[in-house]
């Protein structure tokens, strides 16, 4: 292992330290840990193995490029807080991860991939019940979407440009007897769990593992007028976002589940319903006793797209995040978001309103594992400490 320090040519402003740090994970496979000091003037990287000078120089160039692309000319967004319930008193202030592992509630299969036990499963069902009640209050139509998504779908909505770093690709062996026989005879994993098979055995990539839920609905409505000019739908699904060395505990998973309530119609319809869903959830979170705030945010766009897109989202308040308090590290974690995409999907997918203009879309999205994790960070694994509504649901 080797640790190096890089002084960025441009200082990283306070509000971008988290965003830049999360992108350093994708700069080089050798990086196993990235830290930026509070002043934004020093980057420390832990490397998997010592590197020779030319490779180190190249790595440093890549880091400087990330910093300058993401920070030059960046304007600090005005974060607007819509709800602040951070002061809600909660009894626990440790990280429950170790306890959950000991209680066989959590089993890590590989980075960012976990099996959840009965208590965590019931806790997620409790939150799901709240989200399904919210969906029912809009008479949302239920849907089931696949886990796979065609590459050409994501291409059509510019996903490759915006979030290339977090894509997960699905492939299979080529329909070729020699390749399949070779695989059957020789496939084995090395000590890091990597398959020893040559890339030529695998088919070209046509499908990915889906990164979000609502996209599937928009594609099913593409290239036609939207019947009735408006709709509300709901679905839960597996989502995949490869977050490299940022894949730590239940906080950030490669494979997670999301419940979405999706609004499609004209601008007012989508914005009004997004707001109503926020207000209804505010009441539900109060009953649950969650410490959180809701504030304006942006999506984690990749380096080249970051500055422009993030500023645009902030300026037009396209995304509000529900950030639950994590008392053990005095920070917050996004457990859900209220999103407005304007007519982005309507335009790109040619979904039209009765007057021929593109539909507007929005979604309210909850990360189920994160909901449960944030709750346990605030209330611990001892159910005697839990709010009555939660304990009664989980333990009957
Ligand atoms: P973050 O800011 O933490 O990276 P995000 O802004 O990318 O999250 P959204 O795209 O708004 O998240 O997704 C909706 C919800 O899905 C999030 O609020 C979160 O609860 C959940 N989520 C997103 N990424 C992950 C992940 N890697 N692991 C677990 N849950 C996630
Ligand atoms: Zn969505
Ligand atoms: Mg976010």
């Amino acid at each position: 292992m080797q640790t190096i320090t890089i002084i960025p040519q441009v200082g990283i402003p306070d509000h971008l330290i988290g965003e830049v740090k999360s992108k350093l994970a994708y700069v080089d496979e050798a990086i196993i840990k990235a830290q930026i000091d509070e002043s934004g003037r020093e980057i420390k990287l832990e490397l998997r193995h010592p590197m020779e000078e030319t490779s180190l120089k190249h790595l440093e160039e890549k880091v400087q490029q990330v910093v300058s692309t993401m920070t030059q000319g960046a304007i600090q967004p005005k974060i607007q807080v819509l709800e602040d319930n951070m002061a809600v008193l909660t009894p626990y202030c440790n990280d429950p991860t170790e306890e959950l592992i000991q209680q066989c509630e959590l089993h890590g299969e590989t980075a960012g991939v976990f099996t959840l036990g009965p208590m965590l499963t019931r806790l997620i069902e409790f939150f799901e019940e709240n989200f399904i009640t919210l969906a029912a209050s809009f008479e949302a139509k239920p849907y089931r979407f696949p886990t796979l998504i065609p590459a050409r779908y994501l291409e059509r909505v510019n996903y490759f440009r915006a979030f290339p770093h977090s894509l997960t690709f699905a492939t299979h062996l080529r329909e070729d007897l020699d390749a399949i026989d070779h695989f059957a005879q020789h496939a084995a994993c090395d000590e890091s769990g990597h398959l020893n098979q040559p890339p030529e055995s695998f088919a070209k990539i046509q499908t990915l593992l889906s990164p979000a839920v609502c996209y599937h609905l928009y594609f099913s409505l593409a290239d036609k007028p939207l019947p009735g000019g408006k709709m509300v739908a709901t679905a839960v699904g597996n989502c995949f976002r490869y977050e490299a060395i940022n894949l730590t505990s239940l906080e950030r998973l490669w494979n997670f589940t999301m419940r979405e309530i999706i609004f499609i119609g004209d601008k007012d319809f989508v914005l009004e319903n997004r707001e109503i869903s926020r207000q209804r959830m505010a009441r539900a979170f109060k009953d649950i006793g969650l410490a959180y705030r809701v504030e304006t945010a942006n999506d984690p766009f990749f380096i080249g797209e970051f500055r422009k897109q993030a500023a645009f989202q902030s300026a037009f308040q396209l995304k509000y995040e529900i950030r639950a308090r994590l008392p053990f590290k005095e920070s917050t974690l996004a457990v859900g978001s209220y999103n407005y995409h304007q007519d982005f999907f309507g335009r790109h997918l040619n979904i039209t309103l009765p007057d021929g203009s593109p539909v507007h879309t929005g979604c309210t999205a909850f990360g189920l594992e994160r909901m449960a994790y944030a709750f346990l960070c605030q209330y611990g694994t001892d159910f005697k400490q839990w709010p009555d509504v939660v304990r009664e649901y989980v333990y009957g």
Side-chain angles (χ1 to χ4, degrees):
M1 207 180 68
Q2 182 182 7
T3 305
I4 60 164
T5 302
I6 295 174
I7 307 297
Q9 280 151 8
V10 276
I12 305 164
D14 227 19
H15 71 278
L16 286 177
I17 289 181
E19 302 270 14
V20 173
K21 181 175 171 250
S22 72
K23 296 301 180 302
L24 291 176
Y26 303 98
V27 166
D28 197 291
E29 282 175 320
I31 298 173
I32 49 174
K33 193 171 175 192
Q35 278 173 303
I36 302 176
D37 83 329
E38 277 175 21
S39 71
R41 300 198 167 274
E42 194 176 282
I43 298 171
K44 270 208 166 65
L45 301 176
E46 264 177 40
L47 307 180
R48 205 177 298 274
H49 43 73
M51 281 171 99
E52 53 182 66
E53 200 141 320
T54 42
S55 320
L56 266 182
K57 205 162 162 265
H58 182 50
L59 187 149
E60 173 159 358
E61 280 164 10
K62 289 193 280 183
V63 169
Q64 296 290 5
Q65 189 195 331
V66 170
V67 175
S68 60
T69 311
M70 288 182 76
T71 61
Q72 257 168 28
I75 309 158
Q76 176 162 8
K78 281 196 194 69
I79 292 182
Q80 198 191 320
V81 177
L82 288 93
E83 295 169 46
D84 189 346
N85 293 300
M86 292 289 277
V88 170
L89 286 178
T90 57
Y92 191 77
C93 48
N94 290 318
D95 181 351
T97 304
E98 274 310 309
E99 275 176 57
L100 291 169
I101 293 170
Q102 272 160 25
Q103 295 166 4
C104 298
E105 281 292 333
L106 194 59
H107 170 75
E109 297 192 345
T110 186
V113 181
F114 286 96
T115 302
L116 309 184
M119 181 272 278
L120 274 169
T121 302
R122 284 291 288 163
L123 191 54
I124 283 178
E125 282 168 3
F126 167 77
F127 286 111
E128 265 285 67
E129 177 132 313
N130 278 273
F131 305 143
I132 290 166
T133 303
L134 175 70
S137 73
F138 293 103
E139 293 176 23
K141 298 269 182 294
Y143 277 77
R144 287 176 64 81
F145 299 129
T147 295
L148 294 172
I149 193 161
R152 67 186 148 78
Y153 278 22
L154 293 179
E155 178 199 24
R156 198 169 164 193
V157 293
N158 287 346
Y159 202 91
F160 297 154
R161 190 175 277 278
F163 307 105
H165 53 301
S166 57
L167 294 168
T168 308
F169 304 92
T171 181
H172 52 83
L173 290 174
R174 286 190 300 114
E175 295 89 339
D176 179 292
L177 190 60
D178 299 335
I180 299 172
D181 263 343
H182 184 271
F183 188 92
Q185 300 301 325
H186 302 286
C189 294
D190 65 16
E191 62 282 5
S192 334
H194 297 127
L195 265 179
N196 60 353
Q197 295 299 294
E200 314 82 79
S201 299
F202 298 96
K204 278 192 174 173
I205 289 157
Q206 270 181 328
T207 21
L208 290 90
L209 296 178
S210 199
V213 172
C214 59
Y215 287 33
H216 292 279
L217 180 65
Y218 309 142
F219 281 105
S220 76
L221 301 170
D223 301 312
K224 332 185 248 274
L226 178 70
K230 60 183 174 186
M231 82 181 284
V232 184
T234 187
V236 63
N238 265 294
C239 296
F240 299 81
R241 297 188 191 171
Y242 182 69
E243 305 215 23
I245 52 169
N246 301 321
L247 293 166
T248 49
S249 75
L250 283 180
E251 255 186 69
R252 208 163 276 285
L253 301 172
W254 187 0
N255 178 177
F256 61 99
T257 33
M258 196 148 46
R259 161 68 64 179
E260 290 204 34
I261 298 153
I262 306 154
F263 306 105
I264 312 180
D266 63 23
K267 177 180 178 178
D268 289 346
F269 177 80
V270 173
L271 280 174
E272 273 165 27
N273 282 310
R274 176 174 80 153
E275 181 57 17
I276 294 169
S277 77
R278 184 179 72 73
Q279 287 172 9
R280 289 184 182 156
M281 279 319 291
R283 283 198 286 279
F285 288 137
K286 191 157 187 251
D287 293 343
I288 295 165
L290 193 76
Y292 74 101
R293 65 171 180 259
V294 174
E295 63 185 25
T296 51
N298 56 262
D299 280 319
F301 299 104
F302 199 55
I303 297 153
E305 292 286 292
F306 177 79
R307 211 160 17 106
K308 213 174 76 200
Q309 301 256 41
F312 182 81
Q313 273 192 324
S314 298
F316 292 96
Q317 302 210 355
L318 301 187
K319 185 181 177 89
Y320 301 135
E321 265 179 357
I322 307 160
R323 303 200 63 92
R325 184 163 171 236
L326 300 186
F328 79 93
K329 54 170 164 172
E330 271 316 330
S331 82
T332 59
L333 178 67
V335 295
S337 56
Y338 303 106
N339 305 288
Y340 171 45
H341 315 118
Q342 300 176 306
D343 61 356
F344 179 87
F345 292 104
R347 267 188 296 115
H348 282 267
L349 301 181
N350 186 27
I351 314 167
T352 48
L353 289 168
D355 69 2
S357 65
V359 295
H360 288 236
T361 62
C363 65
T364 292
F366 304 99
L368 301 184
E369 294 82 359
R370 278 198 189 174
M371 263 323 314
Y373 177 70
F375 174 83
L376 293 172
C377 286
Q378 297 183 6
Y379 285 92
T381 60
D382 176 6
F383 63 81
K384 292 198 252 356
Q385 305 261 33
W386 292 5
D388 294 347
V389 272
V390 190
R391 187 179 54 248
E392 277 156 23
Y393 186 93
V394 173
Y395 289 100

